[in-house]
Amino acid sequence: MNRFVVISGCSGGGKSTLLRELGQRGHGVVDEPGRRIVEQELSRQGSALPWVDAIAFAHRALERALADRAAAEHLPGWVFFDRSVIDAAAALEHLTDGHGPDIDALPRYHDTVFLTPPWPEIYVTDHERRHSFDDAVAEYQRLLLAYPVSGYDVSVLDKGTVGQRADAILATLARSTPAPN
């Protein structure tokens, strides 16, 4: 049983807010690699930014996601990830015309991945999220294909409250697998 659970999907779809809720409920959470990379690159005037060098950014996201996955081994119980190595691999696959990493060589997560769908009513751009809603939807469509191709079951979350979404995830996990120690 894999206790590492991915919450992925559309940018601006409420992933980070959902992760905060799960953290407040006592679960381990791992923040999105991309946001941390953008913050770091902006602070040092780096170029591994999605709007400057998308391939370098995706490579950094893959490295960070792999490091996050390894570092989470010590956390007990369910651990929820805001995106995963699959997100970065899908981005590299898209950006390099099919020359992404070998998916089978990447570490696995729980078999069910939860995706936040496009939600235009809550989507906003900011200093770190500069891409358009249409770009976010295109990324979501790639992930909707990438996860099943990588052997994961996809559960698309309803556009409910944060609490309802967290309850739905935990209920799905409770039905599919025994709770980890």
Side-chain angles (χ1 to χ4, degrees):
M1 191 274 307
N2 197 318
R3 58 194 183 82
F4 296 147
V5 181
V6 175
I7 300 173
S8 186
C10 193
S11 278
K15 292 181 305 300
S16 298
T17 303
L18 180 52
L19 268 285
R20 274 194 302 279
E21 172 71 17
L22 291 163
Q24 289 172 353
R25 293 183 184 199
H27 299 285
V29 297
V30 178
D31 292 332
E32 179 184 353
R35 282 266 183 182
R36 289 180 281 149
I37 293 164
V38 168
E39 288 172 10
Q40 182 181 42
E41 290 295 297
L42 288 174
S43 72
R44 64 181 191 154
Q45 298 180 348
S47 62
L49 295 161
W51 56 88
V52 176
D53 186 344
I55 294 173
F57 172 78
H59 278 290
R60 291 272 311 279
L62 180 61
E63 292 166 7
R64 180 69 57 95
L66 287 167
D68 288 346
R69 172 71 171 64
E73 288 291 336
H74 76 281
L75 297 173
W78 294 117
V79 180
F80 295 92
F81 291 78
D82 189 338
R83 300 200 181 272
S84 78
V85 297
I86 301 300
D87 293 66
L92 281 168
E93 182 88 10
H94 170 70
L95 294 166
T96 62
D97 291 326
H99 294 94
D102 178 9
I103 298 291
D104 294 332
L106 298 175
R108 296 282 303 169
Y109 298 82
H110 190 278
D111 287 340
T112 301
V113 172
F114 298 91
L115 296 185
T116 60
W119 196 347
E121 293 82 8
I122 68 170
Y123 183 84
V124 294
T125 58
D126 58 32
H127 189 60
E128 296 157 2
R129 181 188 301 131
R130 298 182 183 184
H131 56 274
S132 70
F133 181 71
D134 289 342
D135 291 336
V137 171
E139 176 193 34
Y140 173 76
Q141 294 298 328
R142 287 190 296 274
L143 294 172
L144 201 54
L145 297 173
Y147 275 101
V149 165
S150 302
Y152 292 93
D153 298 319
V154 170
S155 177
V156 177
L157 295 168
D158 289 335
K159 296 177 183 176
T161 68
V162 176
Q164 290 168 332
R165 284 176 145 192
D167 290 344
I169 288 170
L170 295 172
T172 299
L173 293 173
R175 282 191 305 271
S176 68
T177 358
N181 296 328

